[in-house]
Amino acid sequence: METAVTDVLEEELSTIQGLRTLSSSSSEENSQITLEFTLDRPIDVAAQDVRDKVSRVRVACRWTCSSR
């Protein structure tokens, strides 16, 4: 399940404009995703994009998990 969550988040986050690198690691109950943006991307805008993408995944996960 951890890699399923990480994979979904990676797919969504990888579409953010100005993303330079994306790396992740997963363990039994933990996923860590690190994003690096280009210097011309304002940090507040990038942070809001990340929040929006994570929220979208959380909503989708709740819907998918509750339908099982």
Side-chain angles (χ1 to χ4, degrees), residues 13 16 43-56:
L13 293 169
I16 296 175
I43 191 67
D44 57 331
V45 176
Q48 186 59 52
D49 288 347
V50 171
R51 284 190 291 271
D52 292 346
K53 298 289 186 176
V54 170
S55 291
R56 181 183 296 183

Side-chain angles (χ1 to χ4, degrees), residues 4-46:
V5 170
T6 303
D7 290 346
V8 172
L9 280 168
E10 282 182 341
E11 186 176 328
E12 194 69 30
L13 293 169
S14 69
T15 64
I16 296 175
Q17 182 182 12
L19 184 65
R20 179 179 288 178
T21 61
L22 182 150
S23 62
S24 67
S25 63
S26 298
S27 62
E28 191 168 320
E29 295 182 12
N30 184 35
S31 291
Q32 180 175 333
I33 300 174
T34 303
L35 307 171
E36 178 184 352
F37 291 91
T38 58
L39 291 175
D40 62 339
R41 183 75 169 155
I43 191 67
D44 57 331
V45 176

